[in-house]
Amino acid sequence: MLKKVLLALTGCACFWIGGTVRADMSIDITGGESSRIPVAVSPFAGSVPAAQDIPHIVGADLLRSGELSLVDVSDLNPPISQPGDARFGVFRSRGADAAVLGAVQSAGSQMTVSFRLMDAVRQNQLAGFSYSAGPADTRMIAHRIADVVYQALTGTPGVFSSHIVYVLQRGSEYLLQVADSDGYEPQTVLKSHYAIMSPAWSPDGRRMAYVSFERGHAVVYEQMMDSGRRIVLASYPGSNSAPAWSPDGKRLAVVLTKDGPSQIYLVNADGSGLTRLTFSGAIDTEPSWSPDGSQLLFTSDRDGSPQVYMMPVAGGKAVRMTFDGKYNVSPRWSPDGKSFVFVTRVSGQYRIALMNVASGQMQVLTDGHDDESPSFASNGKMILYAAGIGSRSDLAVVTVDGKTHERLSNVEGAMDSPVWGR
Amino acid sequence: MKKTVLGLMVVGLLAGCSTEQAKTNTAQDNTVRQAAKAAEPAPAPAPAVAVDPLNDPNNILSQRSVYFDFDKSIVHDEYMPMLKAHAGYLTSHGSAHIQIQGNTDERGSAEYNLGLGQRRADAVAKSLELMNVSSSQISTISFGKSKPRAVGHNETAWAQNRRADIVYQSE
């Protein structure tokens, strides 16, 4: 039995996914509804499960963005699937500004999914596409539809069809996994009995750098996503960690302890040309390249407590960026280079915060106990992080305004080091 | 007497165990098992009396862990007697080699914790070097927060995990 809840009216609501979808998700929304664009996502015409599943996945994606709200039209039977339907006015009368209509036709093992995004007031079409694919592609088609709808209504490219990477610890096993942006369809890239941490996607998405303890100490590997072939990028005495790709994909910043405490080095993508960048005598780690490739943000405790600093990639003076509190770590640039996310400790709790680079203004976005490893979606609108709860940590997404939170997964085990790819 | 004991220790270390007559009454299952294992190639006359000083619970050398305050890598004075004992063992056993493994509690950044664990291991190494242990006998490594000894999520568990362990190479 499929349960649907109208989300637009309350501060907190649950959106149940049915059909072949496995898990439930909860989305917490705080703040006013008035700024959100109300959209009705009608059930699609068709007898295959995808006709029910696709609109639900689209709806969950749109809701997670925090910029759209959903208007419930699930009671209409049969669903409105054509713009010429005599009942079309119901979208407007229920408060929707836009409506998503569609149909799924199946022929053997293939299916054709067509959808239209309609202006609920003028009743004209804003966008429309048709996709042909196998049933295994149901979720990816839904994410692509959500991208089209989101961009048409907000003007910002959608990121729902992008992928995320994270480390799942299950018993004594560590799995490096890639999944859809909503945490579904996980695929294992590497399975190990030794700890894996800090995966970093190359800008072109074809390579993954990560840290593995399989040789007894932390070593940085670089793995081809298509073939699985991998090379050792850095395996010097001590720890080799925190790989970060330059925006052009030609170099990485890595953190080594071969010359003393953790320091930042630059290395070519083939492991050659190692040069040392920081000389602090303190812990310098977690480098993040600015989108233009000229600056690194990083964590350092050179002033006595771990704080975020910025310095030119070409070398030079590091400037301290964070001053509130005694623990500010894990900085990541926003895609436009105007702000960065990081982890801050507030009253003993670890939370995700955002800082504007120009103004130095800081906003705490989450209210968890042990929130870690934030990273931006490529459109700069959402932030993925690991939300710790007791012995496990879930993947979670928060919007840049801090008003919409969603826990993505309900997988057994601990999910760490999430990174949003393209 | 001292020279005899030292000679036995070096042999024992190479064989994976050692003997020390003064500690016969505290032999543990573990020690007996190791003695038995070592006895296989060349049976020793009395395996039950064999005690490895490194694993003898009554010997300070069996203590291997240094605990730290949150976000700190200062070795407290209370660990100096233990470190002095290890320094004495290492300086008198030139072929012995230790790895110092740094750990942190689960809170905060995994990468910063990896650096912090390394600094804790390095702090213990520095203490031993100041006690005249050759740096060539010491290597350091950090596990960061990836290998917690205590699995709880409270200060008691966290305190157990803010730690550097001394591990002898033969172990």
Side-chain angles (χ1 to χ4, degrees), chain B residues 3-161:
Chain B
K3 193 177 176 184
T4 312
V5 173
L6 286 181
L8 287 169
M9 280 182 185
V10 171
V11 171
L13 196 69
L14 293 171
C17 85
S18 68
T19 58
E20 189 182 1
Q21 292 169 346
K23 304 291 183 187
T24 51
N25 58 343
T26 58
Q28 301 290 297
D29 289 349
N30 182 33
T31 318
V32 173
R33 180 164 47 75
Q34 289 195 16
K37 186 179 165 191
E40 279 169 19
V49 303
V51 175
D52 179 350
L54 295 173
N55 287 320
D56 175 0
N58 284 357
N59 191 316
I60 195 167
L61 289 173
S62 69
Q63 294 174 28
R64 305 297 181 80
S65 296
V66 176
Y67 296 89
F68 296 88
D69 296 334
F70 176 76
D71 194 29
K72 293 285 184 284
S73 52
I74 295 163
V75 179
H76 289 301
D77 289 346
E78 65 187 280
Y79 300 105
M80 289 306 160
M82 184 259 280
L83 292 176
K84 275 179 185 148
H86 285 287
Y89 185 89
L90 289 164
T91 50
S92 60
H93 296 72
S95 63
H97 188 276
I98 56 167
Q99 184 181 62
I100 304 172
Q101 303 173 344
N103 297 273
T104 71
D105 70 34
E106 64 183 356
R107 295 172 296 166
S109 156
E111 283 288 354
Y112 179 72
N113 278 324
L114 190 67
L116 183 59
Q118 183 71 41
R119 192 158 63 190
R120 286 173 177 166
D122 289 345
V124 174
K126 189 78 184 166
S127 297
L128 290 171
E129 285 168 29
L130 289 171
M131 296 168 183
N132 297 318
V133 178
S134 166
S135 61
S136 65
Q137 286 177 277
I138 305 172
S139 64
T140 58
I141 186 183
S142 176
F143 294 127
K145 61 175 178 177
S146 71
K147 275 193 164 183
R149 176 184 285 170
V151 294
H153 307 284
N154 49 50
E155 179 51 34
T156 308
W158 294 331
Q160 285 286 307
N161 294 331

